[in-house]
Amino acid sequence: MGIREFPGSAPRGKGIAIGMRRSPDVSPRRLSDISPQLRQLKYLVVDEAIKEDLKWSRSVEDLTSGPVGLTSIEERILRITGYYGYQPWATSYKREERPRDSPGPAEAQAPAGTEAGGRPSRHCWRCSRAQLKKIFWGVAVVLCVCASWAGATQLAKLTFRKFDAPFTLTWFATNWNFLFFPLYYAGHICKSAEKQSVKQRYRECCRFFGDNGLTLKVFFTKAAPFGVLWTLTNYLYLHAIKKINTTDVSVLFCCNKAFVFLLSWIVLRDRFMGVRIVAAILAIAGIVMMTYADGFHSHSVIGIALVVGSASMSALYKVLFKLLLGSAKFGEAALFLSILGVFNILFITCIPVILYFTKVEYWSSFDDIPWGNLCGFSVLLLTFNIVLNFGIAVTYPTLMSLGIVLSVPVNAVVDHYTSKIVFNGVRVIAIIIIGLGFLLLLLPEEWDVWLIKLLTRLKVRKKEEAAEGGADLGLGLQSKSRRARPSFAR
């Protein structure tokens, strides 16, 4: 039982050999049993690649086992010599059998572009290059979103000095939405391998509205409400620019992210996240502080109310779109936005006419209209919507959202030199609070799990480095003591 003869061993009566094959779970033998191998260590030259393999072959279980969490010196020597059939990679079998974790920051155990053994990996290098390309495009998209949004806001403020008609400006800029689908089709012709005619592409994108496509019923039930919300969002935003400075308008509009979360939680039954509740509270606190910054004057209160209403309409638009229509592809989104432009031309045109004849928004002659400012504002707003809706094809959605909040300091710098804005302590704190709430809302849903995994990996790596340092120090001290000990061998 557990005893067997080996070939070439002594007879059973004279000597018994016990199987000395070491398993990874059995403690190693004493150094005195392997003294011949130890004498050969001083002639051993280990290649650098082998050192890396030996370093990475150590399992986490070996580093964390034991009362002090350090690998013994004898086991390290057994790893090098391979004595009793010990193989360094035998302890990694447990790791290979474990299921792979979900992708996230915690997977970054080795540096980018390296395999588990420290060797460069072509596949990882390709992934890193793709990620760098996506980040580069993300920076370009962020700058484009920031420049177009801040530029449209400042140009609207400049336009109102000569042309005091916010609803007419909203109507004029929304008409440009008709260009979305033609621009998308031009890109489709340039990039797609399978080119389709305009009619074929239109019919394929119309499937987004159902099996019957875009019917009159669908137009009034699924497109018209969003056209109204689109017009209200832009009109309230532009009307607020007349009342308060552009810095306050842009920072208060960032609260729409918090309103989207609250509506999604109530209407769509999205997952509850404590950090997003904190962000919503910060947004509300920032709105109150912004109202207090200039005192409770009529113009400032009305302007802040208009911006909050615009942010609310924007949030309602996004939540209802997800509830009624779901998610849309690029062609479907372009067709939908073009339909909003058609709706604006057909059904909203009467409102600016009524406002003109009632002299609510009146101008003496069409020659006095600053057509350059109107067209510039429309182009910037169209650019902003194109990049915001189609930028996801080249970068991450989170980076695109950063462009909106980065427009706040741009507007603040412009307001500082062009208007009489006063950046008192309350206004600065309100801007910081709303910006912080906006950034908290950009965190992914699994951010806490990723953070815990990342901290765990860092803790394990720190223990591994400490274990290697302690083991190397102990081996050095033992070798010095052996050299200092006198030898009585003849």
Side-chain angles (χ1 to χ4, degrees):
M1 297 297 292
I3 302 175
R4 59 192 176 103
E5 289 189 15
F6 288 90
S9 61
R12 188 181 295 268
K14 295 183 179 180
I16 298 175
I18 301 176
M20 294 159 53
R21 196 58 131 165
R22 181 189 179 277
S23 66
D25 297 329
V26 179
S27 61
R29 287 178 172 267
R30 295 174 299 174
L31 291 176
S32 58
D33 296 336
I34 56 172
S35 55
Q37 285 80 2
L38 289 177
R39 293 193 191 99
Q40 297 175 2
L41 284 178
K42 62 181 180 179
Y43 304 108
L44 181 63
V45 178
V46 183
D47 190 68
E48 292 297 328
I50 300 177
K51 289 181 180 179
E52 291 293 327
D53 289 338
L54 291 174
K55 181 177 72 173
W56 284 97
S57 65
R58 299 191 186 104
S59 63
V60 177
E61 290 86 350
D62 291 336
L63 292 173
T64 57
S65 61
V68 293
L70 298 176
T71 306
S72 62
I73 300 173
E74 295 139 329
E75 187 170 355
R76 287 171 58 85
I77 297 176
L78 286 173
R79 281 197 178 97
I80 299 174
T81 58
Y83 190 65
Y84 294 147
Y86 182 83
Q87 297 175 344
W89 55 86
T91 56
S92 62
Y93 73 101
K94 296 180 181 179
R95 288 181 292 175
E96 295 175 358
E97 293 177 356
R98 293 176 183 171
R100 182 173 179 158
D101 294 334
S102 59
E107 282 193 350
Q109 300 178 22
T114 59
E115 294 177 348
R119 303 186 189 95
S121 173
R122 294 180 180 178
H123 178 70
C124 293
W125 172 244
R126 290 174 184 171
C127 290
S128 63
R129 286 185 63 184
Q131 290 175 356
L132 288 175
K133 184 179 179 180
K134 209 166 186 179
I135 293 174
F136 172 78
W137 277 107
V139 173
V141 168
V142 166
L143 294 177
C144 188
V145 170
C146 177
S148 59
W149 187 240
T153 303
Q154 293 295 332
L155 195 56
K157 186 79 171 180
L158 186 63
T159 303
F160 291 146
R161 297 177 182 176
K162 301 178 181 179
F163 184 69
D164 189 8
F167 194 92
T168 304
L169 181 58
T170 302
W171 170 82
F172 183 81
T174 307
N175 290 338
W176 290 58
N177 281 10
F178 178 77
L179 297 175
F180 267 99
F181 190 75
L183 291 174
Y184 162 76
Y185 183 74
H188 167 75
I189 292 297
C190 296
K191 294 293 184 180
S192 179
E194 299 179 0
K195 297 178 175 57
Q196 297 177 331
S197 64
V198 179
K199 190 174 182 179
Q200 290 176 339
R201 198 63 189 165
Y202 171 77
R203 287 181 177 178
E204 185 174 342
C205 293
C206 281
R207 297 176 185 173
F208 173 66
F209 297 100
D211 297 334
N212 297 327
L214 182 62
T215 61
L216 196 62
K217 179 181 178 181
V218 170
F219 180 81
F220 283 104
T221 57
K222 293 187 177 181
F226 294 100
V228 174
L229 290 175
W230 181 284
T231 303
L232 285 175
T233 299
N234 288 279
Y235 170 69
L236 294 175
Y237 185 86
L238 292 177
H239 196 69
I241 293 177
K242 289 177 54 181
K243 303 291 183 181
I244 56 178
N245 57 75
T246 56
T247 303
D248 294 350
V249 172
S250 59
V251 72
L252 288 170
F253 189 77
C254 292
C255 296
N256 75 321
K257 202 82 173 174
F259 298 156
V260 169
F261 163 69
L262 293 176
L263 287 175
S264 300
W265 181 39
I266 297 171
V267 178
L268 302 178
R269 306 294 182 184
D270 280 1
R271 176 186 172 187
F272 174 82
M273 291 182 63
V275 67
R276 293 187 178 178
I277 289 292
V278 173
I281 295 173
L282 290 176
I284 296 172
I287 293 172
V288 175
M289 294 184 68
M290 191 67 71
T291 307
Y292 180 75
D294 287 331
F296 293 93
H297 302 296
S298 59
H299 282 280
S300 62
V301 172
I302 292 174
I304 290 172
L306 289 172
V307 182
V308 173
S310 175
S312 302
M313 292 298 104
S314 174
L316 186 61
Y317 174 96
K318 295 177 181 179
V319 173
L320 286 181
F321 187 91
K322 189 175 182 181
L323 178 65
L324 299 178
L325 299 174
S327 58
K329 299 178 182 178
F330 295 124
E332 297 166 350
L335 178 61
F336 182 80
L337 292 171
S338 294
I339 291 172
L340 295 186
V342 173
F343 171 82
N344 186 75
I345 295 173
L346 294 178
F347 298 98
I348 308 296
T349 305
C350 59
I351 298 179
V353 175
I354 294 173
L355 295 177
Y356 175 78
F357 285 106
T358 56
K359 295 189 177 181
V360 176
E361 293 185 357
Y362 181 79
W363 53 94
S364 57
S365 65
F366 285 92
D367 295 335
D368 297 334
I369 298 176
W371 292 105
N373 291 353
L374 265 67
C375 293
F377 171 79
S378 302
V379 169
L380 288 173
L381 193 61
L382 180 66
T383 304
F384 170 77
N385 287 307
I386 288 175
V387 176
L388 204 63
N389 284 280
F390 304 121
I392 192 175
V394 294
T395 187
Y396 304 99
T398 303
L399 289 179
M400 294 190 301
S401 300
L402 287 176
I404 299 176
V405 72
L406 288 179
S407 65
V408 176
V410 175
N411 287 321
V413 172
V414 175
D415 285 345
H416 178 71
Y417 290 102
T418 59
S419 64
K420 298 179 180 179
I421 185 173
V422 178
F423 289 99
N424 52 24
V426 178
R427 175 174 274 110
V428 172
I429 293 174
I431 293 173
I432 293 174
I433 286 177
I434 295 177
L436 179 61
F438 186 90
L439 295 177
L440 288 178
L441 289 166
L442 296 181
L443 293 175
E445 291 187 357
E446 303 295 336
W447 71 274
D448 51 345
V449 178
W450 290 359
L451 182 60
I452 292 174
K453 288 183 178 181
L454 181 61
L455 293 177
T456 304
R457 298 291 183 182
L458 293 176
K459 186 177 180 181
V460 170
R461 183 175 297 178
K462 188 176 181 180
K463 287 184 178 180
E464 183 178 1
E465 293 174 354
E468 291 178 359
D472 292 338
L473 180 61
L475 185 60
L477 292 175
Q478 188 169 358
S479 62
K480 288 182 181 179
S481 63
R482 284 182 176 274
R483 286 197 298 267
R485 187 183 302 170
S487 175
F488 297 98
R490 295 291 180 182

